[in-house]
């Protein structure tokens, strides 16, 4: 067998590169230390050794915070591609055992929509172990290799190598308890002034949009309580704190039970928008777990839409 002479690869310490990639991807030396089972001090030493070898800084260290420099961003981009290739090559040799699928979404989507339906997916796909995580802040899927599927909220993420598919339009409506709706049925300026208008902090649909949609003059002073979760503002409306402007996707049970009704039923209309987006990396298009989860969640959304239409047109 003949061998070609090849020069030795000029690659810095692999543990140091791995420590840098984890810290840069996770945005934290502490989280990198947890992932790699090292101390934060060891992570810091590995990265400083890289910086000495390169002769340039990879992180800015200010006020106990570390952020990537331009050189650090460039190194992370290259290492991400390289580590993805290593991971894919190793995955081909792994024994065919159960598959894990990491799904990340907002807390309200997890508790109000996905969680109640997830047992159906698990029952139909027993070989796929779901790992569900949630958080309110936007997540860059290209920098979080530990997440396979993201359900983004608000605005569709953009970027090379990313697949984004809307889960379908949803209606955002003014919701309150039936007794509250009756006291403001005429939606006169006086009735509007008496109501408390609950704010949903992260929603891209604001009360100003709803008032304009329905040709109503907003109250001069609103300033109601604000909540950073859609599920919390729905709960507050059920408790009678005021009127919530939220997606019907999060209020299906409360509307079905009669705990909440639309304010101005028959007169006011909701606002229809795409608010939730299914996202995955393009290189994972053929991953069986992602394909099955995509097909399942879109089928669930179609079923929800069909049920809604049947309720609106019972004789059809």
């Amino acid at each position: 067998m003949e061998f070609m002479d090849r020069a030795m690869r000029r690659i810095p310490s692999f543990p140091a590169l791995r420590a840098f990639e984890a810290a840069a991807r996770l945005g934290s030396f502490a989280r990198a230390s947890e992932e790699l089972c090292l101390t934060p001090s060891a992570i810091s030493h590995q990265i400083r050794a890289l910086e000495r070898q390169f002769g340039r800084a990879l992180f800015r260290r200010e006020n106990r915070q570390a952020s990537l420099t331009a050189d650090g961003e460039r190194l992370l981009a290259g290492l991400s591609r390289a580590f993805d290739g290593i991971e894919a090559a190793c995955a081909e040799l792994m024994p065919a055992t159960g598959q894990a699928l990491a799904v990340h979404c907002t807390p309200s989507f997890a508790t109000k929509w996905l969680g109640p339906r997830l047992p159906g997916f698990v029952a139909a796909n027993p070989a796929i172990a779901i790992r569900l995580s949630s958080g309110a802040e936007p997540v860059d899927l290209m920098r979080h290799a530990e997440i396979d599927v993201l359900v983004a909220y608000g605005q569709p993420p953009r970027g090379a190598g990313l697949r984004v598919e809307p889960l379908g339009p949803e209606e955002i409506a003014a919701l309150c308890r039936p007794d509250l709706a009756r006291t403001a049925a005429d939606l006169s300026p006086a009735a509007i002034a008496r109501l408390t208008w609950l704010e949903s902090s992260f929603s891209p649909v604001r009360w100003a949009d709803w008032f304009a949609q329905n040709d109503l003059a907003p109250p001069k002073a609103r300033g109601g309580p604000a909540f950073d979760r859609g599920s919390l503002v729905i709960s507050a409306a059920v408790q009678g704190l005021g009127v919530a402007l939220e997606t019907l996707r999060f209020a299906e049970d409360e509307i079905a039970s009669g705990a909440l009704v639309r304010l101005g039923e028959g007169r006011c209309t909701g606002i229809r928008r795409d608010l939730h987006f299914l996202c995955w990396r393009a290189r994972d298009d053929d991953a069986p777990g992602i394909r099955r989860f995509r097909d399942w969640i879109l089928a669930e959304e179609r079923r929800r839409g069909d049920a809604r239409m049947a309720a609106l047109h019972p004789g059809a």
Side-chain angles (χ1 to χ4, degrees), residues 58-167:
L58 300 174
F59 283 93
R60 298 185 194 89
R61 298 167 176 85
E62 300 172 346
N63 300 324
R64 297 192 177 186
Q65 299 292 323
S67 59
L68 287 171
T69 64
D71 290 322
E73 293 278 5
R74 187 170 59 176
L75 180 60
L76 175 61
L79 287 181
S80 295
R81 291 190 296 270
F83 280 21
D84 286 344
I86 292 171
E87 185 177 15
C90 293
E92 293 179 359
L93 302 179
M94 290 291 184
T97 57
Q99 178 187 0
L101 183 69
V103 179
H104 186 85
C105 60
T106 63
S108 293
F109 188 83
T111 57
K112 301 294 288 183
W113 197 93
L114 182 57
R117 293 166 172 80
L118 206 51
F121 177 82
V122 172
N125 299 274
I128 298 177
I130 287 284
R131 297 202 305 265
L132 181 61
S133 61
S134 66
E137 297 300 327
V139 170
D140 182 352
L141 194 58
M142 302 307 292
R143 295 189 61 179
H144 287 271
E146 74 278 10
I147 298 173
D148 299 309
V149 176
L150 168 70
V151 182
Y153 172 73
Q155 298 296 327
R158 304 185 186 280
L162 194 62
R163 300 281 193 234
V164 178
E165 190 163 1
L167 290 186

Side-chain angles (χ1 to χ4, degrees), residues 165-249:
E165 190 163 1
L167 290 186
E170 49 197 286
E171 186 174 358
I172 301 92
L175 304 169
C176 62
R177 286 196 342 192
D179 56 337
L180 199 58
R182 286 192 294 270
T183 65
D186 62 352
L187 289 178
S188 63
I192 287 176
R194 287 194 301 268
L195 293 172
T196 299
W197 305 90
L198 307 177
E199 297 287 349
S200 191
S201 306
F202 283 99
S203 174
V205 180
R206 315 307 299 171
W207 277 116
D209 303 320
W210 184 84
F211 281 109
Q213 166 97 358
N214 291 287
D215 294 322
L216 293 170
K220 292 181 180 179
R222 205 163 62 240
F227 302 87
D228 66 352
R229 302 282 192 276
S231 57
L232 292 180
V233 77
I234 292 292
S235 178
V238 171
Q239 297 303 316
L241 266 66
V243 187
L245 183 64
E246 259 301 336
T247 170
L248 301 188
R249 182 175 266 149

Side-chain angles (χ1 to χ4, degrees), residues 260-280:
L260 291 180
V261 297
R262 294 169 183 256
L263 180 67
E265 183 72 56
R267 174 182 172 184
C268 295
T269 60
I271 297 170
R272 291 183 63 79
R273 289 194 187 171
D274 285 319
L275 287 183
H276 289 90
F277 305 86
L278 189 66
C279 313
W280 67 96

